[in-house]
Amino acid sequence: MSGNRHFNVHEVSCCIKYFIFGFNIIFWLLGVAFLGIGLWAWNEKGVLSNISSITDLGGFDPVWLFLVVGGVMFILGFAGCIGALRENSFLLKFFSVFLGIIFFLELTAGVLAFVFKDWIKDQLKFFINNNIRAYRDDIDLQNLIDFTQEYWECCGAFGPKDWDLNIYFNCTDTNLSREKCGVPFSCCTKDPAEDVINTQCGYDIRAKPDLEQRTFINTKGCVPQFEKWLQENLTVVAGIFIGIALLQIFGICLAQNLLSDIEAVRESCLFT
């Protein structure tokens, strides 16, 4: 009678392990790139040499998008990449939990946005108007507002009059700016025949009658234009969000599967 014993030795799935590693190293590198762009932009604006200037801007600094998104991608990518490569249970659990929290927050935000549509609309108006006030304070914010108004062919939150909130564009008697009673060039209607952008096309335009204004500038606000764009592209937007959600669920499932394999291998080693 043979005294040899045979054990079912579990093995970690190399396919899952290196798939998680390869997938997350891309996210990790993208996170590094985003962080690098954000820090470079802050360095160019002198923020890194004077950290207190972060709070000086009255509106939204677009650099925060790069830093926050880059930071999240860096942390997730690092945890998933090293966790899979080193078969580190702690990092894989952290990856799964962190990804699950992000998924839950996205789901909650989507439900709240649908339920409190009017409140979201008011907050969007407040956000845009707050950034209109700070239009000339930061070049990145200025470029973001110009891109938004050009892309959606809009002007202000609900119309050109919102630019009265800005000290350079308002129509008050105390305003000595050349841009008084005007709007940024991004509000102007585009002439296909013009190759060069006329940056002075919005000068004094709001001093003219409303009917005449419509000939030269877009008079629709960015909030209603965004709502219109969202309704027209609802299928595409919903598809993107569903795709991201499925990708997150897929990542959590793979990480949990790899965790199960690692724990099974450790248990089999104990019994051998």
Side-chain angles (χ1 to χ4, degrees), residues 76-90:
L76 269 177
F78 177 82
C81 179
I82 303 302
L85 187 65
R86 302 293 298 175
E87 297 179 11
N88 188 300
S89 298
F90 174 77

Side-chain angles (χ1 to χ4, degrees), residues 129-140:
N129 285 340
N130 198 40
N131 288 297
I132 284 175
R133 292 187 184 93
Y135 177 75
R136 291 294 189 203
D137 296 346
D138 183 83
I139 187 63
D140 294 323

Side-chain angles (χ1 to χ4, degrees), residues 62-196:
V63 175
W64 278 110
L65 278 176
F66 286 92
L67 294 175
V68 172
V69 173
V72 171
M73 291 177 70
F74 178 86
I75 294 170
L76 269 177
F78 177 82
C81 179
I82 303 302
L85 187 65
R86 302 293 298 175
E87 297 179 11
N88 188 300
S89 298
F90 174 77
L91 287 177
L92 286 172
K93 287 176 182 177
F94 175 82
F95 172 80
S96 298
V97 172
F98 196 9
L99 200 58
I101 291 172
I102 293 173
F103 173 75
F104 175 76
L105 290 175
E106 289 171 348
L107 187 64
T108 304
V111 172
L112 291 176
F114 179 77
V115 175
F116 301 103
K117 288 184 287 187
D118 292 335
W119 182 83
I120 295 294
K121 187 175 179 179
D122 290 338
Q123 292 303 307
L124 186 60
K125 176 186 175 181
F126 174 79
F127 176 77
I128 294 174
N129 285 340
N130 198 40
N131 288 297
I132 284 175
R133 292 187 184 93
Y135 177 75
R136 291 294 189 203
D137 296 346
D138 183 83
I139 187 63
D140 294 323
L141 175 62
Q142 184 175 309
N143 290 334
L144 178 62
I145 292 174
D146 286 334
F147 170 78
T148 301
Q149 293 190 144
E150 285 181 309
Y151 183 80
W152 279 307
E153 297 181 347
C154 58
C155 190
F158 282 94
K161 289 182 180 179
D162 289 331
W163 281 98
D164 273 331
L165 296 169
N166 188 278
I167 59 173
Y168 299 101
F169 293 97
N170 66 52
C171 295
T172 57
D173 295 334
T174 55
N175 184 9
L176 302 178
S177 170
R178 179 61 189 89
E179 295 174 311
K180 175 182 177 180
C181 243
V183 292
F185 72 91
S186 52
C187 285
C188 298
T189 54
K190 298 295 181 289
D191 185 351
E194 291 183 357
D195 295 328
V196 180

